[in-house]
Amino acid sequence: MNYLIGRFLSGMLTIYIVATLIFLLLYLVPGDPAEILLSSGGMAPGPEAVAALRRNLGLDQPALVRYGQYLAGLFRLDLGVSFQDGAAIGPEIMRRIPRTLELIGAAGLIAMIVGVPAGLIAALRRGGVVDNFFSAIASFGLSVPIFVTGTIMILFFSQILRLVPAGGYVSFAQNPGQHLVYLLMPSCAIAISLIPVVFRMMRTAVLEVMEREWVRTARAKGLEERKVLRRHVVRNAITPVISVLALQMGTLLGGTVLVEYVFNWPGLSGMLVQSVEQRDYPAVQAIVLVVCVLFVLINFCIETLYGLLDPRIRER
């Protein structure tokens, strides 16, 4: 329990620091948001209009007052309103974020299903044909950017073979089958970049664990090789794989911009790009903070899983 409480408090402190840094960075960004919003066609707005908009947006108040209002809003789970249309930002983020999480989750699942067995087989056949073949494919997968992979997949599977649509989105409630079809290609495009990472980490971890004394002892006692792998090798080798995959998935929370754009997937990253283009600072602030919270939450879940897999971690 102390282990979980410590991880939780550490996560809350991280969120507070990030929230403060986001506020300071956007406060220090040069340029007046009111002038930017009122500027059109290269014409500078009048000072009266700028002053009125600054009052409406609360930009005329001291920084400490705005910081206090910002933190108070966060405690009420109020992410503010958009500079563009005055609409609440929270509902729009809540509408988009499940789509991005679904995309990343599906990609992570595919990466584990493919990468873990491949890494285990490559380690068991170290230096052989299978190991060299898998390692070459992994190097190729790492060297190709996601947007290139996505474009090639659209060209091959949609334009040439006409097996799946090039992109789009429909909710699972409206049409479950079509939703999964739309999800397939973007999740596979992301997974192709994750599989080599999982494969290499699994291969390295298995090779390291197989040299441990407890594995040699298990074999010396006559335990079947399959049981040795399942009970002693895979269970201990999977921990660093989960750690690396969690970090990769956390990074993808705000890094799926190109995939969402290529496959026309209306997720959180697309909203972030649109908000930056429109200089919608409250929306940018809210999205970055939500991504941070999700990143902390994912790491909290992973560290909890660590504790379940390896009791030694709970005792540290």
Side-chain angles (χ1 to χ4, degrees), residues 270-286:
M271 181 183 176
L272 177 60
V273 173
Q274 183 181 8
S275 301
V276 171
E277 290 176 346
Q278 296 174 343
R279 304 293 195 273
D280 195 347
Y281 294 155
V284 175
Q285 209 170 33

Side-chain angles (χ1 to χ4, degrees), residues 201-232:
M201 181 55 67
M202 186 66 187
R203 179 183 179 277
T204 303
V206 168
L207 289 174
E208 182 180 345
V209 172
M210 288 178 70
E211 299 297 326
R212 298 289 185 179
E213 292 181 356
W214 67 76
V215 175
R216 291 200 295 269
T217 302
R219 285 173 174 157
K221 288 182 177 179
L223 196 64
E224 294 179 12
E225 185 64 20
R226 182 175 299 179
K227 292 182 179 178
V228 172
L229 291 175
R230 187 176 68 249
R231 294 180 182 177
H232 299 286

Side-chain angles (χ1 to χ4, degrees), residues 6 37 40 171-172 242 249 313:
L37 290 172
S40 61
S171 69
F172 187 83
I242 294 174
M249 294 179 70
I313 296 178

Side-chain angles (χ1 to χ4, degrees), residues 9 21 33 37 92 129 144 249:
L9 293 177
L21 287 176
L37 290 172
E92 180 64 16
V129 176
V144 181
M249 294 179 70

Side-chain angles (χ1 to χ4, degrees), residues 138-183:
S139 299
F140 179 76
L142 280 175
S143 63
V144 181
I146 293 180
F147 67 93
V148 174
T149 305
T151 306
I152 293 174
M153 290 176 68
I154 290 176
L155 175 65
F156 188 72
F157 293 108
S158 299
Q159 302 299 322
I160 297 177
L161 299 181
R162 299 186 181 282
L163 294 176
V164 290
Y169 177 82
V170 63
S171 69
F172 187 83
Q174 288 179 322
N175 190 333
Q178 191 64 32
H179 176 83
L180 295 177
V181 170
Y182 282 133
L183 177 65

Side-chain angles (χ1 to χ4, degrees), residues 186-207:
S187 58
C188 285
I190 298 175
I192 287 174
S193 67
L194 288 178
I195 289 171
V197 178
V198 174
F199 164 77
R200 288 190 168 183
M201 181 55 67
M202 186 66 187
R203 179 183 179 277
T204 303
V206 168
L207 289 174

Side-chain angles (χ1 to χ4, degrees), residues 7-65:
R7 296 298 94 191
F8 177 76
L9 293 177
S10 174
M12 295 301 294
L13 178 62
T14 303
I15 293 172
Y16 169 73
I17 293 173
V18 171
T20 302
L21 287 176
I22 296 170
F23 178 85
L24 289 175
L25 288 174
L26 292 180
Y27 179 75
L28 296 174
V29 167
D32 189 340
E35 287 187 8
I36 296 173
L37 290 172
L38 292 174
S39 299
S40 61
M43 299 292 293
E48 297 81 7
V50 173
L53 184 58
R54 286 179 59 82
R55 282 195 299 275
N56 289 336
L57 298 177
L59 299 175
D60 58 336
Q61 298 181 10
L64 284 178
V65 174

